[in-house]
Amino acid sequence: MKNILLKKGQEIQSKLCEISDFIYHNPELGNEEYKAVEKLTSFLEEHNFEIEKEFLGIETAFRATCDSKKEGPTIGYLCEYDALPEIGHGCGHNMIGTMSAGAGIILSKVLDKVGGKIIVYGTPAEETNGAKVIFAEQGVFDELEAAMMVHPSDKTMESGTSMALYPLQFTYKGKTAHAASCPQEGINALNSVIQLFNGIDALRQHVTTDVRMHGIITNGGVAANIVPNEAVAQFYFRAANKETLDDLLVKVKKIAEGAALMTGSTLEMTRYELPNDNLKTNKNLSKNFNKNLRESGITDINEPKDAGSSDIGNVSHKTATIHPYIGIANCSVTCHSVKMADSTITSFAHERLLIGTLALAYTGYDVLTNKVDLKG
Ligand SMILES: [Zn+2]
Ligand SMILES: [Zn+2]
């Protein structure tokens, strides 16, 4: 049966390259990916997928279904297609969306024979306000036996872990005054932000090595001769798992409150973006994917890398999930760079585009035919 999948893959290879290159040439920021969505959904529709656009009321989200109407597992392929400001597809999401849609299409060609259902999800804004978080919160992934996607990189790597992340904004409010003639009348909100940074830096001594705390000041006042009556900082807090992160946040919030007390300013804390859970890779699904990748011609599969955070983490707490990396460059290329974006349209990347798509389709086939113990 996998020979049939290979043949179907070869039949759509030029279309896959065309779509991935089109998205590369038309980079769109998160939640504005109109052209990419149009391209991917038309492709899926041509191959008889039923399309729901503006899924969950999110303009650039979609859900595309192919149902055999026969007993069997439901497989989810996750598309990403958002770009980065100024550097375009420096994270290679043009390839992610294409591989996931392509895998769904290839697998759909044998679905009638094996039963089950394939769902391709369009999940916008991975780089900022990852829609997978909302999908997970709304129970969308509860319909799946397994969810998968492949991320381009300079090296091929097994699916590993990613960190839980919580974005927190601190807004301090004080009182303006002339900074030289009557400073005693002012309440300096910026001083609270500075104490917040100092307090967080002191906390670094007392956290586990997995913890990451990094922030910026987005408002530090308007002029040096005015006591700042408002100052704002945004932070990302990360840890290997949600439990550690929750404990950390309790301490951080006390520091933030202390910084308000020190100046007499008031404090408001808000979650300014969606949080991510840590990624839990399903070991057996990952082994199966690696086997399929080897059979498709990629044998240099490296250990998982220390990843940042991604909304794929939230998916992995709902269903068996993998998020492996496929090498698309012959040399070392940094993620989130123009060089990485340009690497996605080379002939080597085009070869890898088909291999990644096929490995996803083969793995889906193995799940549909119950060859993978997803409890593992
Ligand atoms: Zn990225
Ligand atoms: Zn990415």
Side-chain angles (χ1 to χ4, degrees):
M1 192 71 90
K2 283 187 175 167
N3 279 339
I4 300 175
L5 296 176
L6 173 62
K7 197 165 156 284
K8 295 293 171 194
Q10 287 162 342
E11 279 170 21
I12 61 166
Q13 183 175 15
S14 60
K15 184 77 182 174
L16 294 176
C17 298
E18 182 209 311
I19 294 173
S20 175
D21 290 4
F22 173 87
I23 300 173
Y24 161 87
H25 286 294
N26 294 274
E28 299 163 296
L29 296 180
N31 293 125
E32 297 172 12
E33 312 99 320
Y34 302 103
K35 290 178 189 166
V37 167
E38 188 50 43
K39 203 78 180 166
L40 292 168
T41 52
S42 322
F43 184 37
L44 288 155
E45 203 166 19
E46 274 166 35
H47 289 273
N48 305 316
F49 275 72
E50 200 179 296
I51 314 290
E52 292 162 74
K53 283 198 181 168
E54 296 187 25
F55 187 56
L56 298 186
I58 304 167
E59 264 191 276
T60 53
F62 68 85
R63 182 175 182 269
T65 308
C66 181
D67 190 353
S68 69
K69 303 215 166 63
K70 292 176 188 165
E71 282 279 297
T74 303
I75 307 295
Y77 291 114
L78 304 165
C79 296
E80 291 174 6
Y81 31 71
D82 58 324
L84 293 156
E86 295 179 19
I87 54 171
H89 277 289
C91 209
H93 294 186
N94 51 322
M95 291 183 72
I96 296 177
T98 308
M99 288 189 280
S100 284
I105 287 169
I106 294 169
L107 190 57
S108 74
K109 306 299 177 191
V110 300
L111 194 64
D112 223 27
K113 294 191 181 72
V114 293
K117 200 195 271 191
I118 303 162
I119 305 178
V120 179
Y121 300 94
T123 68
E126 187 279 333
E127 298 287 357
T128 49
N129 239 342
K132 295 184 203 73
V133 178
I134 300 163
F135 282 33
E137 278 174 1
Q138 303 272 324
V140 170
F141 302 121
D142 299 350
E143 64 190 343
L144 298 179
E145 262 67 39
M148 54 193 112
M149 58 177 279
V150 180
H151 199 298
S153 181
D154 57 348
K155 279 195 305 192
T156 301
M157 286 170 282
E158 284 180 39
S159 181
T161 57
S162 66
M163 286 186 272
L165 171 147
Y166 198 91
L168 199 53
Q169 174 172 295
F170 305 88
T171 304
Y172 290 94
K173 289 207 171 132
K175 194 169 142 217
T176 56
H178 193 293
S181 68
C182 53
Q184 69 279 7
E185 301 292 326
I187 297 175
N188 193 326
L190 177 61
N191 278 346
S192 285
V193 165
I194 291 166
Q195 294 313 319
L196 170 75
F197 273 79
N198 288 338
I200 288 172
D201 282 339
L203 179 63
R204 288 185 206 284
Q205 293 178 56
H206 305 286
V207 295
T208 45
T209 52
D210 57 309
V211 168
R212 297 285 182 277
M213 303 184 278
H214 40 101
I216 55 168
I217 299 175
T218 57
N219 177 6
V222 288
N225 62 356
I226 305 171
V227 173
N229 71 332
E230 184 174 306
V232 182
Q234 289 184 337
F235 272 81
Y236 281 157
F237 297 98
R238 308 186 202 229
N241 59 59
K242 203 168 169 305
E243 293 69 35
T244 308
L245 187 57
D246 287 345
D247 289 347
L248 179 74
L249 288 171
V250 171
K251 292 175 184 165
V252 164
K253 285 175 183 173
K254 282 188 183 153
I255 290 169
E257 284 159 7
L261 276 176
M262 285 168 81
T263 63
S265 56
T266 61
L267 165 66
E268 194 189 347
M269 289 184 270
T270 46
R271 187 182 95 173
Y272 66 99
E273 281 173 9
L274 294 170
N276 293 154
D277 281 337
N278 54 303
L279 168 62
K280 294 195 298 183
T281 285
N282 183 286
K283 294 277 184 294
N284 287 344
L285 191 61
S286 175
K287 273 186 209 154
N288 182 273
F289 178 83
N290 294 341
K291 175 183 76 79
N292 286 321
L293 206 51
R294 278 189 207 97
E295 282 173 15
S296 309
I298 298 182
T299 50
D300 58 332
I301 303 173
N302 296 277
E303 298 274 298
K305 71 167 174 181
D306 287 338
S309 306
S310 169
D311 56 359
I312 189 71
N314 300 57
V315 183
S316 72
H317 288 256
K318 299 288 181 184
T319 186
T321 300
I322 52 166
H323 180 277
Y325 291 85
I326 187 165
I328 60 151
N330 280 317
C331 56
S332 168
V333 183
T334 313
C335 194
H336 284 202
S337 66
V338 173
K339 202 171 168 195
M340 176 57 83
D342 294 345
S343 300
T344 66
I345 55 163
T346 63
S347 56
F348 183 64
H350 284 167
E351 267 171 47
R352 293 294 167 104
L353 186 68
L354 178 63
I355 293 177
T357 307
L358 284 170
L360 282 174
Y362 294 159
T363 306
Y365 176 79
D366 287 340
V367 174
L368 286 177
T369 50
N370 299 312
K371 289 195 186 73
V372 188
D373 177 8
L374 293 170
K375 286 183 205 79

